[in-house]
C-alpha cells in the first residue's frame, strides 16, 4: 500500500491546465452570451442610475457586467468540475488496501 | 511498421500536451490549397482590419456603437429592439456551418476560423523573422546567446505590435475608430477602451502565438461536436491506404510495383507540414482541422516521383471503401432549403422593417377623468423612437371611437435620427359614444417626409358606460 505514492496520477483526472481551461473557457462563452442578451434588454446607463452609480459610462457598465457574468459562470463551472470528481471511498486513516 | 509507434505517441500526447506541450514547427507549404488558404486569410484579415475605416453616409460603415446602443451596418441602423434580426443572422450562420460541415468537413476550421487565420499570420511573422521550421528548431535547441534573444525579442515585439493593432481594431468596431485613433495618438484613451484593447490584444497574442492548435483540441466546442454532422458522403482529407501501403523509400521514378511497395514513399512531409502535428496516414483524427496542407505537399511529392496525385486527398468514406458516393445528397438539400427559407425571411424582415417604434403608456394613476364639459378624458404618454438613419417628422391620428378628440401635438412631430421623444396626449370623447368601460382605439402615426413610413398601435380607452 505504501508503494503507491499519494501523487500517483489518476488516469481519469484531466491535467491541471486543462481543468483550468475547462472552467474558464465555457464560462467565458456563456458569459459573453449572457452579456449580449442582458444588455440588449437593459441599458447599463439606466441601471447605473438606479443602482446609485450615476457616473457609470455604458462602456464601463458593459465591461463590469461581462466580468460579473464571467465570475458567476466560472463559479458554476468550477463547482461542476469539483463535484464530478469521484468521492474518496476511504479515509486516509484506515489502512485497508483495496488496490 | 511505423503505425505502432505513432499510436504510442498518441497516448503520450494525450497525457502530456497540457503539461508540457511539444512545440509544433510546421513546414512551409505551397500548392492549390495553400493558395486558397492564403487568399481566405488575406481577404478575412483585410476585412477585419479595413472595414472599420470605411465610411458610409458620413458615419462609420460598420459600427456596433455600444456607447450609443445602436448598430450601424452600412445604410441600416439597428437598435436593441431589433435583436430579432441578430438572432436570425446567428441561426443562418449556424445552419450554414452545419451545411458546410456535412459537405466537406472542417472547411470552417481550415480556412475561415479566426483561430486558424491569426495563427497563420503569426506563423508567417515567425517564419519571416526566425526562418523556416528547421532553423527554428535548431535555434530553440541551441544556446541562449545574444543572437537568440535578439531574434526572439524581434519576433515577440512584432507579435505584440500586431496584437495591439488587432485589439485597437477590435475596439474600433464598438467605438468610432477615427476618434479612437485620435485619442490613441494623443495618448488620451478612456480607461475601458484601453482595457479592451489590451485584453483583446493579449488574447490574440496568447491564442495565435502560443496556444495555437491547443485551442482547437481543448477549447473549441465546434471541434468536439462537428463529427456529429459527418456521414459516409462527407468530403474529408484522407490518405488512400490501399494505394499507399506498404510504405517505404525508393529511388525517384521507380514504379511502386517494381519494389513491391505502395505509393507512399514515407518521406514524412505530410507530418512535417501539419499545423496540429498529426499523421494523416493514421486515419481521420479529431485534431485535424482540415487545412489540406498535407494534400499540397503530398501532391508535390507524387509529381516528383512521377506517380498520380491524390494519395492524400479530399474524399468520402464511401469512395474509399469503393462504394458509390453522392456529395450533393438529400441532407445537403435539406440544409440548403432551410437556409434559403430563413435567409428569405430575414431579407423580407429587413425590407419591410419600420424604423419607428411607438410605446403607448396610459396614465396609471387615474383611469379617466370627466371634464367640465361632461366629456370623458384619458391621458396617454407616447414614447416615439426614430430608428431611421435620418431625422423624421411625423403626424398622428387616432381612430376607433366616434367623435373622439385629440388634445396635444398631432402634426410636425420632429425626432432626430436615433432620438426618443415623449409625447403627452389627452383624448376626449362624449360618454354617449362609449359602448363599454374599455374600448379599443388605434393610434396611426405616419411620416410627413417618407411616404410609406407609418405604424398602427392599439391602446385602450377607459370610461363610464352611459345608460
Amino acid at each position: 500500500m505504501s508503494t503507491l505514492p499519494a501523487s500517483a496520477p489518476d488516469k481519469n483526472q484531466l491535467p491541471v491546465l486543462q481543468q483550468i481551461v475547462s472552467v474558464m473557457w465555457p464560462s467565458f462563452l456563456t458569459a459573453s452570451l449572457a452579456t449580449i442578451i442582458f444588455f440588449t434588454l437593459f441599458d447599463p446607463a439606466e441601471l447605473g442610475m438606479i443602482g446609485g452609480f450615476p457616473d457609470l459610462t455604458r462602456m464601463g457598465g458593459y465591461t463590469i457586467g461581462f466580468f460579473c457574468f464571467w465570475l458567476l459562470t466560472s463559479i458554476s463551472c468550477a463547482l461542476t468540475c469539483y463535484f464530478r470528481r469521484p468521492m474518496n471511498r476511504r479515509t486516509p486513516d484506515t489502512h485497508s488496501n483495496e488496490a | 511498421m511505423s503505425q505502432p509507434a505513432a499510436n504510442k505517441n498518441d497516448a503520450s500526447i494525450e497525457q502530456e500536451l497540457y503539461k508540457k506541450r511539444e512545440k509544433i514547427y510546421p513546414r512551409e507549404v505551397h500548392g492549390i490549397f495553400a493558395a486558397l488558404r492564403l487568399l481566405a486569410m488575406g481577404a478575412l484579415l483585410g476585412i477585419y482590419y479595413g472595414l472599420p475605416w470605411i465610411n458610409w453616409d458620413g458615419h462609420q460603415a460598420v459600427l456596433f456603437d455600444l456607447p450609443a446602443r445602436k448598430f450601424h451596418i452600412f445604410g441600416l441602423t439597428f437598435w436593441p429592439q431589433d435583436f430579432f434580426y441578430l438572432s436570425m443572422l446567428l441561426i443562418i450562420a449556424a445552419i450554414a456551418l452545419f451545411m458546410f460541415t456535412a459537405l466537406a468537413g472542417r472547411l470552417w476550421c481550415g480556412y475561415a476560423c479566426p483561430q486558424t487565420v491569426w495563427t497563420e499570420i503569426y506563423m508567417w511573422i515567425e517564419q519571416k523573422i526566425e526562418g523556416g521550421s528547421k532553423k527554428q528548431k535548431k535555434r530553440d535547441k541551441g544556446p541562449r546567446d545574444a543572437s537568440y534573444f535578439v531574434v526572439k525579442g524581434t519576433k515577440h515585439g512584432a507579435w505584440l505590435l500586431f496584437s495591439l493593432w488587432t485589439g485597437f481594431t477590435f475596439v474600433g468596431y464598438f467605438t468610432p475608430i477615427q476618434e479612437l485613433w485620435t485619442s490613441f495618438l494623443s495618448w488620451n484613451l478612456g480607461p475601458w477602451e484601453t482595457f479592451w484593447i489590451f485584453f483583446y490584444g493579449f488574447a490574440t497574442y496568447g491564442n495565435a502565438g502560443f496556444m495555437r492548435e491547443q485551442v482547437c483540441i481543448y477549447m473549441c466546442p465546434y471541434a468536439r461536436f462537428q463529427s456529429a454532422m459527418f456521414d459516409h458522403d462527407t468530403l474529408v482529407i484522407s490518405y488512400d491506404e490501399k494505394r499507399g501501403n506498404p510504405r517505404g523509400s525508393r529511388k525517384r521514378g521507380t514504379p511502386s510495383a517494381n519494389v513491391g511497395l505502395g505509393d507512399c514513399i514515407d518521406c514524412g512531409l505530410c507530418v512535417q507540414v501539419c499545423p496540429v502535428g498529426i499523421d494523416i496516414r493514421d486515419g481521420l483524427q479529431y485534431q485535424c482541422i482540415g487545412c489540406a496542407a498535407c494534400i499540397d505537399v503530398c501532391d508535390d511529392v507524387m509529381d516528383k516521383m512521377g506517380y498520380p496525385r491524390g494519395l492524400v486527398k479530399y474524399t468520402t468514406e464511401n469512395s474509399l471503401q469503393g462504394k458509390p458516393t453522392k456529395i450533393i445528397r438529400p441532407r445537403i438539400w435539406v440544409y440548403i432549403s432551410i437556409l434559403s427559407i430563413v435567409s428569405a425571411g430575414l431579407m423580407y424582415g429587413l425590407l419591410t422593417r419600420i424604423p419607428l417604434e411607438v410605446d403607448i403608456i396610459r396614465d396609471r394613476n387615474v383611469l379617466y377623468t370627466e371634464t367640465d364639459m361632461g366629456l370623458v378624458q384619458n391621458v396617454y404618454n407616447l414614447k416615439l423612437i426614430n430608428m431611421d438613419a435620418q431625422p423624421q417628422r411625423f403626424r398622428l391620428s387616432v381612430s376607433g371611437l366616434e367623435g373622439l378628440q385629440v388634445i396635444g401635438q398631432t402634426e410636425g412631430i420632429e425626432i432626430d435620427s436615433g432620438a426618443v421623444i415623449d409625447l403627452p396626449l389627452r383624448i376626449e370623447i362624449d360618454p354617449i359614444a362609449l359602448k363599454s368601460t374599455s374600448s379599443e382605439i388605434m393610434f396611426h402615426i405616419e411620416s410627413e417626409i417618407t411616404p410609406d413610413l407609418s405604424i398602427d398601435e392599439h391602446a385602450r380607452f377607459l370610461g363610464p358606460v352611459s345608460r
Side-chain angles (χ1 to χ4, degrees):
Chain A
M1 48 187 173
S2 54
T3 51
L4 210 86
S7 60
D10 183 354
K11 283 206 167 152
N12 297 321
Q13 197 72 41
L14 295 169
V16 177
L17 197 64
Q18 199 180 343
Q19 277 186 49
I20 294 171
V21 167
S22 70
V23 169
M24 298 312 284
W25 180 242
S27 57
F28 177 87
L29 292 179
T30 44
S32 314
L33 191 69
T35 310
I36 292 170
I37 294 171
F38 183 82
F39 287 119
T40 304
L41 298 173
F42 303 102
D43 183 345
E46 283 175 21
L47 290 179
M49 285 289 197
I50 299 165
F53 303 99
D55 295 336
L56 186 72
T57 60
R58 281 199 175 126
M59 282 302 261
Y62 293 129
T63 311
I64 293 167
F66 169 70
F67 280 99
C68 286
F69 277 126
W70 197 6
L71 183 71
L72 285 176
T73 50
S74 63
I75 288 172
S76 84
C77 282
L79 283 175
T80 307
C81 206
Y82 177 73
F83 284 130
R84 71 177 284 286
R85 276 159 57 170
M87 199 77 87
N88 225 351
R89 268 180 296 155
R90 7 168 223 173
T91 51
D93 295 335
T94 46
H95 285 277
S96 66
N97 196 347
E98 287 170 46
Chain B
M1 36 199 107
S2 61
Q3 229 114 334
N7 284 343
K8 212 171 117 194
N9 259 346
D10 263 6
S12 60
I13 282 171
E14 200 73 55
Q15 276 299 311
E16 279 167 19
L17 255 180
Y18 251 101
K19 285 177 182 161
K20 194 168 179 294
R21 168 192 173 231
E22 292 277 323
K23 191 181 173 191
I24 296 164
Y25 301 86
R27 225 178 131 107
E28 251 185 298
V29 59
H30 304 280
I32 304 166
F33 296 106
L36 272 175
R37 227 168 36 252
L38 206 68
L39 198 72
M41 189 180 97
L44 291 169
L45 287 179
I47 290 172
Y48 176 77
Y49 292 101
L51 200 56
W53 295 98
I54 296 170
N55 275 327
W56 186 274
D57 265 352
H59 64 79
Q60 193 171 320
V62 176
L63 176 65
F64 306 109
D65 196 345
L66 289 180
R69 285 178 76 74
K70 51 186 172 184
F71 290 179
H72 297 285
I73 297 167
F74 294 95
L76 293 167
T77 308
F78 292 95
W79 296 80
Q81 289 86 342
D82 295 320
F83 188 68
F84 170 74
Y85 298 107
L86 179 67
S87 43
M88 288 278 271
L89 209 61
L90 290 178
I91 291 170
I92 290 174
I95 299 168
L97 184 64
F98 295 168
M99 187 186 82
F100 283 115
T101 309
L103 193 66
R106 298 174 71 171
L107 279 181
W108 162 260
C109 302
Y111 297 91
C113 177
Q115 178 61 30
T116 310
V117 170
W118 267 306
T119 300
E120 290 251 342
I121 187 87
Y122 272 62
M123 279 181 180
W124 182 81
I125 294 173
E126 190 172 47
Q127 272 166 358
K128 287 290 153 210
I129 294 170
E130 282 209 40
S133 61
K134 272 186 191 152
K135 266 190 178 172
Q136 288 179 32
K137 249 185 235 173
K138 204 176 151 200
R139 182 173 297 107
D140 286 352
K141 281 190 187 132
R144 300 285 183 264
D145 55 6
S147 88
Y148 174 89
F149 288 107
V150 168
V151 170
K152 290 282 174 185
T154 318
K155 178 183 84 177
H156 286 286
W159 276 3
L160 283 169
L161 269 179
F162 196 76
S163 308
L164 204 63
W165 185 33
T166 308
F168 174 81
T169 308
F170 176 73
V171 175
Y173 275 96
F174 300 98
T175 48
I177 201 164
Q178 315 262 4
E179 292 166 31
L180 198 68
W181 181 238
T182 321
S183 40
F184 180 73
L185 289 182
S186 59
W187 213 242
N188 201 18
L189 286 169
W192 303 114
E193 280 87 355
T194 316
F195 170 79
W196 283 111
I197 289 175
F198 280 97
F199 186 87
Y200 197 83
F202 177 75
T204 312
Y205 177 69
N207 282 338
F210 300 93
M211 299 290 287
R212 293 187 178 174
E213 79 288 344
Q214 299 187 97
V215 174
C216 313
I217 296 171
Y218 295 111
M219 290 163 74
C220 180
Y222 169 68
R224 291 283 176 99
F225 71 69
Q226 42 90 23
S227 60
M229 281 162 289
F230 277 47
D231 57 27
H232 292 289
D233 284 320
T234 299
L235 283 168
V236 288
I237 295 166
S238 237
Y239 163 72
D240 191 342
E241 211 169 272
K242 277 187 210 139
R243 189 185 141 194
N245 287 0
R247 305 166 199 164
S249 57
R250 77 284 318 250
K251 268 204 183 118
R252 179 179 287 200
T254 320
S256 304
N258 292 8
V259 281
L261 292 167
D263 276 354
C264 176
I265 63 164
D266 214 4
C267 61
L269 277 173
C270 54
V271 182
Q272 288 179 41
V273 296
C274 182
V276 297
I278 57 166
D279 188 340
I280 192 68
R281 296 170 300 178
D282 295 340
L284 187 62
Q285 288 148 80
Y286 72 94
Q287 293 101 326
C288 175
I289 59 167
C291 71
C294 46
I295 299 184
D296 279 335
V297 77
C298 189
D299 278 349
D300 219 28
V301 171
M302 290 298 111
D303 286 353
K304 280 181 190 149
M305 295 299 294
Y307 299 158
R309 288 180 164 203
L311 181 58
V312 181
K313 64 176 175 188
Y314 271 112
T315 183
T316 69
E317 205 167 311
N318 273 345
S319 82
L320 273 181
Q321 288 167 357
K323 292 178 195 159
T325 185
K326 203 172 178 198
I327 290 159
I328 305 295
R329 52 200 187 276
R331 188 181 181 140
I332 300 293
W333 284 116
V334 170
Y335 281 132
I336 289 176
S337 41
I338 299 175
L339 207 56
S340 3
I341 292 167
V342 182
S343 309
L346 179 68
M347 280 310 286
Y348 177 78
L350 281 179
L351 289 173
T352 55
R353 191 174 85 109
I354 301 166
L356 168 66
E357 169 118 350
V358 179
D359 280 327
I360 301 171
I361 303 151
R362 269 185 47 85
D363 185 354
R364 286 185 210 287
N365 296 324
V366 203
L367 293 179
Y368 61 88
T369 48
E370 280 177 56
T371 64
D372 298 342
M373 312 277 287
L375 300 174
V376 178
Q377 190 181 71
N378 275 206
V379 179
Y380 299 88
N381 197 28
L382 267 66
K383 205 173 181 180
L384 300 177
I385 310 170
N386 174 18
M387 303 195 292
D388 209 358
Q390 57 170 7
Q392 277 288 358
R393 201 166 62 236
F394 296 102
R395 78 167 76 89
L396 174 153
S397 60
V398 186
S399 59
L401 287 171
E402 228 169 291
L404 63 74
Q405 276 196 318
V406 183
I407 300 163
Q409 190 185 5
T410 55
E411 277 179 353
I413 305 160
E414 292 197 15
I415 316 173
D416 263 348
S417 168
V420 185
I421 63 153
D422 285 313
L423 188 69
L425 281 181
R426 284 178 295 156
I427 293 176
E428 287 181 354
I429 196 167
D430 192 326
I432 290 180
L434 293 176
K435 296 201 168 50
S436 71
T437 50
S438 169
S439 334
E440 192 170 275
I441 53 170
M442 171 102 84
F443 285 77
H444 178 78
I445 296 130
E446 61 181 9
S447 167
E448 292 177 1
I449 301 166
T450 317
D452 293 329
L453 174 53
S454 72
I455 199 167
D456 290 325
E457 199 73 29
H458 293 280
R460 318 261 357 147
F461 188 92
L462 305 182
V465 185
S466 58
R467 293 171 205 278

